[in-house]
Amino acid sequence: MINFNKPPHVGKEIEYIKQVIEKNNKLCGDGPFTKKCNAWFEEKFKTKQCLMTTSCTHALEMAAILIDIKPGDEIIVPSFTFVSTVNAFVLRGAKLVFVDIRPDTMNIDESLIEEAVTEKTKAIVPVHYAGISCEMDKIMEIAKKHNLYVIEDAAQGVMATYKGNALGTMGDIGCYSFHETKNYTMGEGGAIIIQDEKFIDRAEIIREKGTNRSKFFRGQIDKYSWVDMGSSYLPSELNAAYLYAQLEEAESINNNRLNTWNMYYQGLKELKEEGVIELPHIPKDCEHNAHMFYIKCKDLEERSNIIKHLKKNEISAVFHYIPLHSSQAGLNYGTFHNKDIYTTKESERLLRLPLYYGLEKDKTEYIVDKIIDFYRGTHK
């Protein structure tokens, strides 16, 4: 079976984990490798602050605390996303206002955001689907006009850019994921990116269980105490060591994935030109990171049939999110603003193909051939 995903492994992970155990003698959070990861993002992406977290989910929860979400506040967000995007705000009592997506990028439709703004709106939460940026200039313009926060869910966006800016660095706060399904992984993990300086000190405190312990370890205070709400959002040094090995090879991982992505695109372009399937669209201001490659089938039935066909040929291909607004929790915690023209329809057509670091060329070609077989009818 050709797996849908394999977690990346570049070679130095075990060496660095051994260093944590045998030399550094520090397994808990904020050790040398955690700090190296923080610094890597701050330097490469020109961020004011990066703090590694236990997950992107927790980075989003920290963001919700930092912008002081209260019961009754409204958050504008796409329905086509993972539950973590919205849970962070629901936990603090926010109401979700779902906005339709663009069919070309599967991102929130920036032209529909402003009409969803009310006096209760507190933040816009754009989700950069598949590592392809939302239209951030327009989103930031709306946020500035209405005095709203922008929290970027860039879980899939590491190493992708919009007009030269790293995803996750354009809003007030950005959130990354390093789950094993992401381009760079620590098994479970994430990061919070702070661009608004007023959040820097408090982010450290929230992440350290509500204490000013980080200042104590830096020698800025002679003892630490509980000063704010918070939780334990520090990842283990073991996880950070695994991730840092991949950050050192970030460019080669990125290029390897882009090569596979381009092989898919070129191999399936003829079917696209014939109008049989649709392929991902990359807007001119965006550089993507090959987080995923998907095709869009005619409808749900066709997608189900091609999944069966690929499985029969030892290929694992999968669909993605069920729109949140159609779920029980989505109905309880939010409303869909205006009409759902594309969110449900497009989600039912989307099929993700295997894509991971090190996916062999012959396997990629085999997958392309089997998709072509399906549409040419040679599988019957």
Side-chain angles (χ1 to χ4, degrees):
M1 176 68 74
I2 300 175
N3 294 333
F4 172 72
N5 176 67
K6 283 186 182 178
H9 176 250
V10 297
K12 283 194 173 180
E13 289 89 346
I14 301 302
E15 176 188 334
Y16 288 171
I17 288 170
K18 280 187 71 177
Q19 186 177 320
V20 170
I21 298 167
E22 297 176 359
K23 183 179 177 182
N24 297 351
N25 296 313
K26 183 176 174 64
L27 302 184
C28 65
D30 268 353
F33 280 105
T34 304
K35 289 173 182 174
K36 284 182 179 181
C37 290
N38 291 341
W40 190 91
F41 287 101
E42 289 171 357
E43 291 164 14
K44 187 168 183 66
F45 294 168
K46 299 178 175 63
T47 68
K48 291 186 172 68
Q49 182 186 55
C50 171
L51 296 172
M52 303 307 297
T53 61
T54 33
S55 64
C56 186
T57 303
H58 283 164
L60 286 158
E61 287 180 19
M62 284 182 63
I65 295 170
L66 284 166
I67 66 171
D68 196 28
I69 294 296
K70 291 186 171 69
D73 288 341
E74 293 180 357
I75 306 300
I76 295 174
V77 66
S79 173
F80 186 69
T81 186
F82 190 54
V83 293
S84 292
T85 308
V86 296
N87 267 335
F89 302 96
V90 167
L91 282 166
R92 314 230 25 104
K95 176 189 173 184
L96 308 172
V97 179
F98 297 113
V99 168
D100 208 5
I101 59 171
R102 293 170 43 158
D104 59 347
T105 62
M106 303 299 286
N107 286 331
I108 191 168
D109 188 334
E110 69 282 357
S111 70
L112 302 177
I113 291 174
E114 190 161 20
E115 65 185 45
V117 175
T118 72
E119 61 183 14
K120 294 181 179 179
T121 306
K122 190 73 171 279
I124 304 167
V125 185
V127 180
H128 302 300
Y129 186 71
I132 299 167
S133 180
C134 300
E135 283 296 327
M136 289 304 295
D137 280 357
K138 179 64 175 177
I139 290 171
M140 296 306 294
E141 176 189 316
I142 294 167
K144 185 176 180 181
K145 179 179 176 182
H146 296 280
N147 195 29
L148 306 175
Y149 290 110
V150 175
I151 310 299
E152 291 179 72
D153 183 337
Q156 301 171 5
V158 177
M159 294 290 283
T161 64
Y162 172 79
K163 296 186 176 180
N165 300 299
L167 303 194
T169 68
M170 292 167 281
D172 300 285
I173 299 172
C175 301
Y176 295 145
S177 172
F178 303 109
H179 184 266
E180 72 165 40
T181 56
K182 300 303 186 290
N183 298 28
Y184 313 91
T185 186
M186 53 201 292
E188 294 278 1
I192 185 167
I193 302 297
I194 307 293
Q195 289 296 76
D196 190 328
E197 290 184 355
K198 73 183 181 187
F199 295 135
I200 288 177
D201 287 344
R202 192 172 184 226
E204 269 193 349
I205 289 167
I206 291 167
R207 179 171 167 266
E208 269 281 19
K209 309 163 193 70
T211 73
N212 52 5
R213 189 167 178 256
S214 294
K215 284 186 175 181
F216 170 72
F217 283 127
R218 288 196 296 266
Q220 293 172 289
I221 53 177
D222 60 1
K223 58 183 177 181
Y224 72 88
S225 62
W226 182 27
V227 295
D228 199 349
M229 69 175 70
S231 191
S232 185
Y233 293 129
L234 278 70
S236 161
E237 266 292 280
L238 298 168
N239 298 52
Y242 193 99
L243 176 64
Y244 190 67
Q246 292 165 43
L247 296 182
E248 289 184 314
E249 299 295 329
E251 293 291 347
S252 65
I253 292 173
N254 195 49
N255 290 335
N256 180 273
R257 294 181 69 105
L258 285 167
N259 286 340
T260 301
W261 194 99
N262 289 328
M263 281 184 63
Y264 274 136
Y265 196 95
Q266 292 304 316
L268 296 169
K269 191 163 68 170
E270 191 172 317
L271 290 179
K272 171 184 178 283
E273 290 169 350
E274 293 171 5
V276 176
I277 61 173
E278 291 178 30
L279 299 180
H281 168 70
I282 314 297
K284 63 180 178 65
D285 291 323
C286 300
E287 286 190 16
H288 71 103
N289 61 355
H291 173 65
M292 75 173 75
F293 192 94
Y294 62 80
I295 66 172
K296 284 188 182 177
C297 310
K298 181 178 69 176
D299 53 28
L300 181 60
E301 182 182 4
E302 182 177 280
R303 186 179 73 179
S304 298
N305 289 335
I306 193 171
I307 288 174
K308 291 174 187 174
H309 166 71
L310 293 174
K311 186 176 182 181
K312 188 171 70 175
N313 286 280
E314 302 294 315
I315 299 164
S316 177
V318 297
F319 53 86
H320 214 181
Y321 312 125
I322 306 299
L324 297 180
H325 75 281
S326 61
S327 66
Q328 185 57 56
L331 293 169
N332 290 342
Y333 298 122
T335 58
F336 198 100
H337 179 78
N338 218 326
K339 294 180 180 178
D340 168 13
I341 297 174
Y342 294 113
T343 299
T344 299
K345 184 178 77 169
E346 298 301 311
S347 70
E348 291 178 345
R349 301 171 56 214
L350 188 144
L351 177 67
R352 297 181 292 159
L353 305 182
L355 204 170
Y356 50 83
Y357 173 67
L359 178 59
E360 297 89 340
K361 180 181 177 182
D362 62 332
K363 288 183 179 178
T364 308
E365 290 172 340
Y366 174 76
I367 294 164
V368 168
D369 287 345
K370 292 306 170 186
I371 292 171
I372 292 172
D373 286 350
F374 176 83
Y375 284 104
R376 295 282 186 253
T378 56
H379 66 292
K380 294 177 182 176

